[in-house]
Amino acid sequence: MRRQFLGRGICVLLILGCSAWSCDTRSVDTPQISTAVDGVVPQAAQVKSVITIRGSRFIDPYSQTFVRFDGENADSKDFLYITDNEIAVRVPNAGRTGDITVRVQNETSNGVPFTVYGPWVYLVHGNTDLGLTVLDSHIRDTSNELELRAVLALPGIPEDIAATPEGDKTYLALPEEDALLILDAPNNTVLNYIQGGIGPRPSALAITMKDKHLCFIANRGDRSVTVLDTLTDTVIGVLEPSGPIQEPVEDWGPASAVLDPDYSTLYVVFHNEGILRAYWVDTLSLRSENPVGPKPIQLMVLPNNGKVYSLNQGNPEDPSDLRGSISVVRARDQLFLTTIVLGEDPTRMEAAGNTFVMITNRGSDSVTVLQADGETIYKTITDGVGQGPSALTVSDDVSHIYAACSGNGVVSVINRNDLAVEKEILLAPGISYIQYRETGEGSRVFVLNPVEASVTVLNVEREDNKRKAEVIATTSVAGNPLFMRVQDLTTYPPEE
């Protein structure tokens, strides 16, 4: 017998030829099978993942069936089906790491350990509050804040933080310590701390899927890239730049590192050098080198792997100019195409599908729209853009772009169809990091305000073919937050 759950109730009453209150089909002489849990598959998963619980006596015709995650009941809407020996249920928002139990009638089964994790919101703190704060990205019905999951002490200030695509590990690059800190992501505990063979001055991280299980660490001390096996967390190689160094340099500046969509090519650039290097991932060998504009700060590859972009704070035509630039390289043959001058003090770029590249210009109070096909500026958005746009993020369906403006604390919501600001959400001056994420409970935009030491969450769910844009939570955090990273949602099974 399988129960399919189409509504909110999870109790099914079976009437076997008589009234439930006047007839009991169970005999006192019949041995009763105890409710028991034999196992759970998988043994760890993110919220909203589907898990399967196997055991015995999960159905009683006269009582409800409850699944508890460390004492927290799964909601009826999270159940997919129940049979006497199997339950399929989504990990609920209230799920916590601990024992899974099944309660039928007045009997509670044995507990089986289960780990609930993420997606996490990571906040890196500096100065006197040096450490890492981990927040749950989900919001409980009874709260308007993100739940604090962990506060970890750190030996130094991380320059980058990156999680494996599977969500099992998180890596932090510590340049001053020439070290890499590795976290057990589901449990928010330190798994490993590696100093030997890392660096000098590890700066940027890029991680492949598990089938290639590699973490690339760009080192600002000598422009090398350390290659780590993420299954064993051991160093397996070092990628060196070609050609001799004319003059010794102790610091090549912060790095940016990114992998193409199929994890075949790694791209690396250093702020004080302005050379874009591409490495083959499978052979760990140099593929190409191309000059880009001065003072590069970010690399990006289009989703279709057509082009690679380097966002630069400098203008190659005039070093004294406050305007920045963007350099374009064609991916298939690594051919340098052009460098285009932008507005003043560009800070962040994101791809709006394969058609446009969006760039925030903090000094010009504008958002530049670059047409990907022709490498030309399609539009510069100023109307409705707040003061000092410092970061932006794009919804998963590419319908909206959200720009965080630090000067007056406005989030400018740009409609992709007409490339115009359709709404302004007033928060507080100082907002500087913003990320769109699907969290399992909905579409959310997370905004960090280092000045206020807070994280604000916007609900941007679709409703009547439009997207909401409303504040649903604000959480105060420890002082001196430097930057934020929000994990991607990695549900089980993977195709869901």
Side-chain angles (χ1 to χ4, degrees):
M1 178 175 63
R2 171 180 286 198
R3 297 183 189 171
Q4 298 285 352
F5 293 94
L6 302 179
R8 292 190 61 83
I10 65 170
C11 177
V12 176
L13 182 65
L14 302 182
I15 301 178
L16 305 176
C18 56
S19 299
W21 52 86
S22 63
C23 175
D24 191 342
T25 60
R26 295 171 293 185
S27 169
V28 295
D29 298 324
T30 302
Q32 294 298 307
I33 300 174
S34 297
T35 299
V37 175
D38 297 332
V40 180
V41 179
Q43 296 176 336
Q46 283 189 352
V47 167
K48 295 306 179 186
S49 294
V50 178
I51 65 170
T52 303
I53 305 169
R54 296 190 175 97
S56 56
R57 194 178 176 266
F58 290 157
I59 291 179
D60 181 276
Y62 300 93
S63 61
Q64 291 178 319
T65 299
F66 296 93
V67 173
R68 289 177 170 171
F69 292 75
D70 195 36
E72 296 283 352
N73 287 331
D75 193 275
S76 60
K77 65 185 178 183
D78 293 315
F79 283 80
L80 276 71
Y81 66 81
I82 298 180
T83 70
D84 202 46
N85 304 105
E86 189 170 284
I87 299 173
V89 61
R90 292 187 184 276
V91 179
N93 291 353
R96 296 294 178 265
T97 295
D99 282 351
I100 283 184
T101 58
V102 177
R103 182 174 176 268
V104 180
Q105 205 176 26
N106 294 321
E107 182 181 18
T108 299
S109 73
N110 59 299
V112 174
F114 184 79
T115 300
V116 180
Y117 63 96
W120 303 135
V121 180
Y122 293 109
L123 302 173
V124 171
H125 302 268
N127 303 324
T128 56
D129 296 291
L130 179 63
L132 180 72
T133 296
V134 185
L135 302 173
D136 194 334
S137 63
H138 303 97
I139 302 167
R140 286 184 151 187
D141 295 336
T142 57
S143 173
N144 60 353
E145 293 186 344
L146 300 177
E147 182 180 353
L148 177 66
R149 283 303 189 99
V151 176
L152 304 176
L154 298 177
I157 300 176
E159 196 155 286
D160 197 9
I161 179 169
T164 58
E166 297 80 16
D168 59 333
K169 293 180 181 179
T170 299
Y171 294 79
L172 291 83
L174 305 171
E176 297 304 321
E177 287 66 37
D178 289 339
L180 191 70
L181 187 71
I182 306 168
L183 303 180
D184 175 348
N187 298 300
N188 292 311
T189 56
V190 175
L191 193 64
N192 207 343
Y193 180 71
I194 305 174
Q195 273 190 306
I198 303 295
R201 305 196 59 146
S203 176
L205 303 169
I207 303 176
T208 67
M209 295 287 283
K210 257 187 183 171
D211 60 342
K212 296 190 177 182
H213 51 86
L214 297 174
C215 174
F216 295 96
I217 308 151
N219 304 306
R220 59 189 291 178
D222 63 358
R223 302 176 301 160
S224 67
V225 178
T226 304
V227 186
L228 194 79
D229 184 321
T230 58
L231 297 183
T232 61
D233 288 329
T234 55
V235 175
I236 61 171
V238 178
L239 307 178
E240 301 284 358
S242 65
I245 299 175
Q246 301 298 324
E247 296 181 7
V249 176
E250 293 184 359
D251 188 357
W252 291 91
S256 178
V258 67
L259 289 152
D260 64 5
D262 60 3
Y263 300 106
S264 65
T265 303
L266 168 75
Y267 296 94
V268 179
V269 72
F270 294 91
H271 183 71
N272 296 340
E273 184 188 26
I275 298 293
L276 172 62
R277 290 185 180 85
Y279 296 93
W280 290 111
V281 169
D282 289 340
T283 61
L284 299 181
S285 58
L286 183 68
R287 182 180 179 185
S288 70
E289 291 182 319
N290 276 296
V292 293
K295 301 178 182 179
I297 57 171
Q298 184 196 353
L299 295 177
M300 186 189 71
V301 185
L302 283 180
N304 64 5
N305 201 14
K307 291 172 183 174
V308 186
Y309 297 87
S310 173
L311 183 61
N312 318 303
Q313 288 185 322
N315 177 1
E317 299 174 2
D318 182 359
S320 64
D321 192 351
L322 297 179
R323 292 179 298 170
S325 60
I326 187 169
S327 301
V328 190
V329 172
R330 193 166 61 197
R332 71 170 184 268
D333 55 5
Q334 299 295 298
L335 177 66
F336 174 81
L337 297 177
T338 187
T339 293
I340 302 165
V341 177
L342 303 171
E344 292 184 8
D345 192 16
T347 52
R348 186 74 186 174
M349 64 177 167
E350 293 289 343
N354 296 304
T355 306
F356 296 120
V357 176
M358 315 292 293
I359 306 119
T360 48
N361 304 297
R362 184 165 48 196
S364 301
D365 294 342
S366 65
V367 175
T368 297
V369 184
L370 184 74
Q371 190 161 347
D373 284 345
E375 298 89 43
T376 58
I377 294 177
Y378 180 81
K379 185 177 183 179
T380 299
I381 306 171
T382 55
D383 291 343
V385 176
Q387 299 171 12
S390 57
L392 76 167
T393 190
V394 181
S395 63
D396 63 341
D397 61 357
V398 200
S399 65
H400 288 80
I401 300 95
Y402 304 86
C405 304
S406 58
N408 60 353
V410 164
V411 175
S412 298
V413 183
I414 301 171
N415 190 304
R416 162 63 179 77
N417 288 333
D418 56 8
L419 294 173
V421 174
E422 69 175 25
K423 187 173 184 179
E424 297 174 64
I425 305 169
L426 181 61
L427 300 181
I431 57 176
S432 58
Y433 288 88
I434 186 167
Q435 281 190 277
Y436 174 98
R437 285 291 183 267
E438 292 292 335
T439 66
E441 69 174 3
S443 305
R444 304 288 184 258
V445 169
F446 298 84
V447 187
L448 172 64
N449 189 327
V451 176
E452 299 282 336
S454 65
V455 176
T456 298
V457 186
L458 306 180
N459 176 13
V460 293
E461 283 282 294
R462 276 204 166 276
E463 186 177 73
D464 299 329
N465 294 322
K466 295 181 180 179
R467 278 197 181 271
K468 296 180 180 179
E470 57 189 15
V471 175
I472 57 173
T474 298
T475 303
S476 296
V477 297
N480 299 304
L482 301 177
F483 63 90
M484 174 184 70
R485 295 284 188 275
V486 185
Q487 267 186 317
D488 285 313
L489 180 66
T490 308
T491 57
Y492 183 94
E495 64 270 14
E496 293 208 8

